[in-house]
Amino acid sequence: MAPPGLIHSSLGHSETGENPQHLGSGDIMSGEESASPSAIQISRIMRPDDANIAGNVHGGTILKMIEEAGAIISTRHCNSQKGEACVAALARVERTDFLSPMCIGEVAHVSAEITYTSKHSVEVQVTVMSENILTGARRVTNKAALWYVPLSLKNVDKVLEVPPLAYTRKEQEEEGRKRYEAQKLERMETKWKNGDVMQPSINPEPYTVSYSQSTLIHLVGPSDCTLHGFVHGGVTMKLMDEVAGIVAARHCKTNIVTASVDAINFHDKIRKGCVITISGRMTFTSNKSMEIEVLVDADPVALHSQERYRAASAFVTYVSLSKEGKTLPVPQLLVETEEEKKRFEEGKGRYLQMKAKRQAQIDAIPQQQ
């Protein structure tokens, strides 16, 4: 059931045909009927339990809303033609930058649109805007790209074919295919880390990796899952952000906010009844940011035939803020072991690569005008 204050309004498609069990007190659903159900919008007012003690909305709360919008639109598309009924499961989230913090009392508008389909996957582009309902001022806070795969309702281990998307321009399909091939390659590159395990340390020194390393253990219940018994991707992302936030707060001992989430890869489904372990550790620090690696392991305790497995992994970047909301210097990470030094250099490479990409985007702006 959706939390009070949730507002669903479609962009070009009515949400009134959705299953009524998704509605809760305070829900408003509206929209104009259209022939193409390729875009929707989900809006919700941010409440105190969505934010940290400084009033900044948790990145995990926004990620969960992003995933909900993506799941709706991709599941709708995958069932738009006659065939076996299915549900869209989240497979990957591309890098997501948190451009501006969202605060309690603001309304989050999450707009999702399908931009590419392959034979077995759907790409959804999502934009998040915050609205100050007192002044009407709006600003973009997030942009994200998500990949979903359709799973049969009769057998959730069976991946079905996706109905093709009608493109307005041939270039859209070519650009989408390039993005698809790129994310497919990156997913393959992450699989080698699936055996990596975070070990606790006794009496660690401040500012070391072990000092801020954190673990959250969660029993997957019915409220975490779809009607078909496996965990919503948004629930997993919210837990990952919580653990990463604890790591960042332990390291800085200040107010911290999510700055970006690198690609999140979902390696396998998590079923109801599993015990999941979400572990986070600091990998790299720059002068004003810190990168945290988060690993999710699932232990199907009720299924003795299946062993513990890696379900998801990601890198999350945080920044430290003063009481006035200004960025603060981050204490430098003290690396001790060869593995920690290796992870630090890898994190530095990702940081410099993204910094160069942002600079290239800035340099390209005058040329477009």
Side-chain angles (χ1 to χ4, degrees):
M1 183 176 289
L6 184 63
I7 306 169
H8 289 271
S9 61
S10 83
L11 298 180
H13 189 84
S14 172
E15 292 290 307
T16 55
E18 295 294 334
N19 191 323
Q21 68 186 326
H22 293 295
L23 299 175
S25 59
D27 294 349
I28 304 172
M29 306 182 77
S30 63
E32 297 298 327
E33 195 68 32
S34 170
S36 175
S38 61
I40 65 166
Q41 178 173 296
I42 294 178
S43 302
R44 183 161 75 81
I45 192 166
M46 297 293 99
R47 300 182 179 278
D49 56 350
D50 295 316
N52 61 19
I53 56 175
N56 301 125
V57 174
H58 293 295
T61 299
I62 304 302
L63 289 170
K64 192 170 183 288
M65 288 187 68
I66 287 173
E67 196 279 329
E68 286 173 353
I72 292 170
I73 196 68
S74 53
T75 298
R76 176 184 286 157
H77 177 80
C78 291
N79 288 279
S80 61
Q81 295 182 0
K82 289 184 178 181
E84 194 171 342
C86 64
V87 61
L90 184 63
R92 176 179 167 88
V93 181
E94 301 291 355
R95 179 183 173 88
T96 304
D97 289 310
F98 288 74
L99 307 174
S100 176
M102 197 176 296
C103 302
I104 295 171
E106 293 184 322
V107 174
H109 300 285
V110 183
S111 303
E113 182 179 10
I114 295 174
T115 49
Y116 178 75
T117 57
S118 69
K119 185 177 181 180
H120 295 293
S121 63
V122 180
E123 181 193 49
V124 179
Q125 299 276 356
V126 181
T127 300
V128 182
M129 294 190 69
S130 68
E131 178 191 3
N132 183 323
I133 54 178
L134 300 180
T135 65
R138 291 192 177 203
R139 67 185 187 281
V140 176
T141 62
N142 301 79
K143 289 188 176 182
L146 302 87
W147 293 89
Y148 289 83
V149 293
L151 304 179
S152 167
L153 293 185
K154 297 178 180 178
N155 177 9
V156 293
D157 293 320
K158 179 183 177 182
V159 178
L160 302 179
E161 291 191 13
V162 176
L165 183 67
Y167 301 97
T168 56
R169 295 182 296 108
K170 186 172 179 59
E171 292 81 2
Q172 288 179 313
E173 185 174 9
E174 289 299 321
E175 292 166 359
R177 184 178 291 110
K178 290 178 182 178
R179 294 192 299 270
Y180 168 74
E181 294 296 338
Q183 66 86 26
K184 187 177 179 180
L185 181 61
E186 288 182 14
R187 278 181 59 80
M188 295 298 294
E189 291 175 349
T190 62
K191 288 188 176 181
W192 69 272
K193 300 190 70 174
N194 280 6
D196 197 5
V197 178
M198 298 186 192
Q199 299 291 348
S201 179
I202 301 175
N203 298 323
E205 293 294 322
Y207 306 125
T208 60
V209 175
S210 299
Y211 183 79
S212 58
Q213 182 174 305
S214 303
T215 299
L216 185 154
I217 299 175
H218 178 75
L219 175 64
V220 175
S223 63
D224 300 319
C225 299
T226 66
L227 296 175
H228 314 291
F230 54 89
V231 176
H232 288 287
V235 170
T236 305
M237 290 195 292
K238 191 171 187 298
L239 291 170
M240 294 172 79
D241 182 70
E242 286 179 11
V243 169
I246 293 170
V247 174
R250 280 180 168 172
H251 184 78
C252 291
K253 295 180 172 60
T254 61
N255 177 35
I256 46 86
V257 293
T258 313
S260 67
V261 179
D262 209 344
I264 303 176
N265 290 293
F266 292 83
H267 308 294
D268 207 340
K269 299 183 292 296
I270 304 173
R271 296 180 184 275
K272 182 172 62 178
C274 282
V275 173
I276 55 175
T277 303
I278 307 98
S279 305
R281 64 184 167 200
M282 193 82 64
T283 52
F284 169 76
T285 55
S286 66
N287 289 333
K288 290 190 176 181
S289 67
M290 50 201 138
E291 181 191 74
I292 296 138
E293 182 181 27
V294 184
L295 305 176
V296 180
D297 295 313
D299 185 3
V301 290
L303 300 175
H304 301 292
S305 59
Q306 189 174 359
E307 297 180 350
R308 177 175 169 142
Y309 60 92
R310 178 64 39 83
S313 58
F315 291 98
V316 186
T317 300
Y318 273 78
V319 293
S320 174
L321 296 181
S322 67
K323 293 180 179 179
E324 293 75 30
K326 296 182 178 180
T327 55
L328 296 173
V330 172
Q332 290 304 290
L333 181 66
L334 302 178
V335 291
E336 300 172 301
T337 68
E338 289 302 317
E339 274 297 314
E340 290 174 0
K341 292 176 183 177
K342 180 182 177 182
R343 287 194 293 268
F344 187 92
E345 290 302 317
E346 291 172 347
K348 184 178 180 180
R350 286 186 291 270
Y351 167 76
L352 293 175
Q353 184 180 27
M354 188 49 58
K355 190 175 180 180
K357 185 177 179 180
R358 281 198 298 264
Q359 187 59 49
Q361 291 172 341
I362 293 172
D363 294 341
I365 292 175
Q367 300 175 11
Q368 297 173 353
Q369 294 178 342

